[in-house]
Amino acid sequence: MMSKKKARYGLCIALIAIPAMAFAHGGATGIIKHRMDAMTSIGDSMKLIVASARGQRAFDKDAIKGAAARISAHATDIPKLFPEGSLDKPTEAVPAIWQDWDRFTALATDLETSAKALETKVDSLSDPSELGAFIPAMGQTCKSCHESFRIKK
């Protein structure tokens, strides 16, 4: 049975966390919030894979495979998450997406392909350092897309 003190503590954490989650993307709603959440998931998944490769977290093949699967799934959805002209604040997208749609969607396909390659090969890896064969392709794709199609920070 949970003590009243622990229950109050949990309630306080929830009351703080819920509003924070609601404003995590500056009040984004609809498709813009959906794509911002997808990009956050991709970033978090990349962090897990990189941390695993660097030995900063356990070499958990299931976790790595799950992260690669999330990246692949979101990459597949990227074109649907950017309907033409969806530039409402707080988007970080720039109009160049629709001016160079073929390149934008090619980068999404490249990300999907490289993430699927990791997902299918992870069971055969014997050492975390072997993840290094997959990280550059995914990382370079993200970098290229951000440099061309995202507001400069």
Side-chain angles (χ1 to χ4, degrees):
M1 185 184 213
M2 187 185 315
S3 72
K4 287 183 181 182
K5 186 176 179 180
K6 284 184 181 179
R8 280 193 300 261
Y9 178 74
L11 179 60
C12 288
I13 296 297
L15 290 174
I16 292 167
I18 292 169
M21 290 186 303
F23 294 103
H25 291 300
T29 60
I31 194 73
I32 293 170
K33 181 175 183 341
H34 189 69
R35 73 182 179 217
M36 290 177 119
D37 290 345
M39 296 302 165
T40 297
S41 178
I42 289 171
D44 290 346
S45 297
M46 283 294 294
K47 287 175 189 173
L48 182 150
I49 294 165
V50 170
S52 298
R54 291 180 176 163
Q56 297 167 334
R57 67 173 284 131
F59 184 53
D60 179 342
K61 291 180 182 183
D62 289 334
I64 295 164
K65 187 183 283 190
R70 282 188 299 280
I71 293 169
S72 174
H74 288 308
T76 301
D77 289 342
I78 286 174
K80 293 180 272 186
L81 296 175
F82 288 85
E84 190 164 357
S86 57
L87 292 169
D88 295 335
K89 299 262 183 235
T91 190
E92 295 177 356
V94 296
I97 290 170
W98 300 282
Q99 295 161 1
D100 196 355
W101 185 252
D102 290 342
R103 181 166 177 264
F104 178 74
T105 57
L107 287 168
T109 300
D110 290 348
L111 181 60
E112 176 188 3
T113 300
S114 57
K116 279 185 178 179
L118 173 56
E119 184 182 0
T120 59
K121 299 281 187 182
V122 72
D123 286 329
S124 67
L125 303 180
S126 58
D127 185 87
S129 66
E130 293 174 303
L131 291 168
F134 301 91
I135 293 170
M138 290 187 291
Q140 185 57 48
T141 302
C142 293
K143 181 181 177 194
S144 294
C145 195
H146 288 178
E147 286 176 348
S148 300
F149 302 114
R150 182 176 162 192
I151 292 172
K152 308 288 185 246
K153 292 186 174 189

